[in-house]
């Protein structure tokens, strides 16, 4: 829906029905998963846009025969770094680094754009937390690698916070130069290794890119 200076988009993907052996335990499972995605945009004038992009994508508890996890299309992105790549695939063969899906997450993104005749400048702040996490003594589900396991320690729900800056420069009607700089403060969700005697060390991530686009 679009009004004079305000726009609203809502998307609610759902899946339900009988499914196969989700947990590899020889019994049939039922899938019942959903997500809700909301985008708002306020354009007070021709130069500025301000928006809020928020959503919740279902996660699975791992402790019942009803699978509740939802996986969005891998081309659906809300940040330059977070949920953008399959990070374990950088160190293991057989999987594409682009095989990454948004799942088991509640996120909030505040963003703005400033436009001139040739330039578009963008900034965004993204905060994300897990819907389901491992709890000591209970069965849980590993959403990134897709398996059920018995948890021996508690997992934090913080995916982290990311700040993105980007630009597009339209050199001429056929050539556009784009770039971005991003910083991701990685959350303690990724420190979980199901071993109460040790903890994974975390490092924050900085990324950037430059792209030349040509239309023929």
């Amino acid at each position: 829906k679009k009004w004079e200076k305000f726009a609203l988009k809502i998307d609610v993907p759902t899946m339900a029905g009988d499914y196969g052996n989700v947990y590899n335990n020889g019994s049939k499972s039922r899938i019942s998963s959903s997500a809700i995605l909301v985008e708002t945009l306020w354009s007070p004038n021709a130069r500025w846009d301000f928006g809020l992009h928020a959503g919740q994508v279902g996660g699975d508890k791992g402790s019942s025969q009803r699978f509740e996890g939802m996986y969005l299309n891998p081309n659906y992105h809300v940040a330059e770094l977070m949920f953008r790549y399959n990070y374990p695939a950088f160190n293991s063969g057989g999987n594409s680094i682009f095989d990454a899906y948004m799942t088991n997450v509640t996120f909030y993104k505040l963003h703005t754009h400033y436009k001139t005749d040739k330039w578009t400048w963008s900034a965004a702040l993204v905060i994300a937390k897990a819907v389901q996490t491992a709890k000591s003594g209970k069965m849980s589900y590993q959403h990134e690698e897709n398996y059920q396991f018995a948890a021996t320690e508690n997992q934090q729900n913080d995916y982290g916070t990311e700040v993105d800056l980007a630009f597009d420069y339209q050199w001429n009607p056929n050539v556009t130069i784009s770039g971005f700089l991003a910083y991701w403060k990685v959350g303690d969700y990724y420190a979980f290794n199901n071993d109460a005697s040790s903890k994974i060390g975390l490092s924050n991530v900085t990324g950037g890119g430059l792209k030349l686009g040509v239309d023929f």
Side-chain angles (χ1 to χ4, degrees), residues 59-119:
D60 186 58
K61 297 182 181 70
S63 57
S64 72
Q65 288 304 114
R66 187 175 69 172
F67 185 78
E68 298 173 310
M70 169 66 77
Y71 290 78
L72 301 185
N73 189 293
N75 292 321
Y76 186 88
H77 299 139
V78 298
E80 297 288 356
L81 299 175
M82 202 185 303
F83 312 115
R84 189 91 177 199
Y85 303 100
N86 180 6
Y87 287 99
F90 281 88
N91 296 317
S92 61
N95 296 315
S96 170
I97 63 171
F98 301 106
D99 190 17
Y101 310 83
M102 289 192 67
T103 181
N104 186 39
V105 59
T106 298
F107 69 91
Y108 305 93
K109 176 181 179 179
L110 293 170
H111 60 92
T112 184
H113 302 86
Y114 177 73
K115 293 170 284 188
T116 67
D117 292 340
K118 291 184 175 293
W119 291 88

Side-chain angles (χ1 to χ4, degrees), residues 119-158:
W119 291 88
T120 299
W121 296 93
S122 305
L125 172 67
V126 184
I127 300 171
K129 295 186 179 297
V131 176
Q132 300 291 344
T133 57
K135 295 176 177 59
S136 180
K138 296 184 178 181
M139 296 301 295
S140 302
Y141 193 75
Q142 219 290 350
H143 293 82
E144 290 75 30
E145 300 183 27
N146 310 110
Y147 62 84
Q148 186 187 35
F149 66 97
T152 59
E153 65 170 331
N154 293 323
Q155 182 180 27
Q156 301 299 311
N157 69 348
D158 183 22

Side-chain angles (χ1 to χ4, degrees), residues 1 12 27 37 39 46 49 56 78 82 84-85 92 148 160 191 206:
K1 177 66 177 178
V12 186
S27 60
L37 308 167
E39 296 183 44
D49 290 329
Q56 179 170 292
V78 298
M82 202 185 303
R84 189 91 177 199
Y85 303 100
S92 61
Q148 186 187 35
T206 301

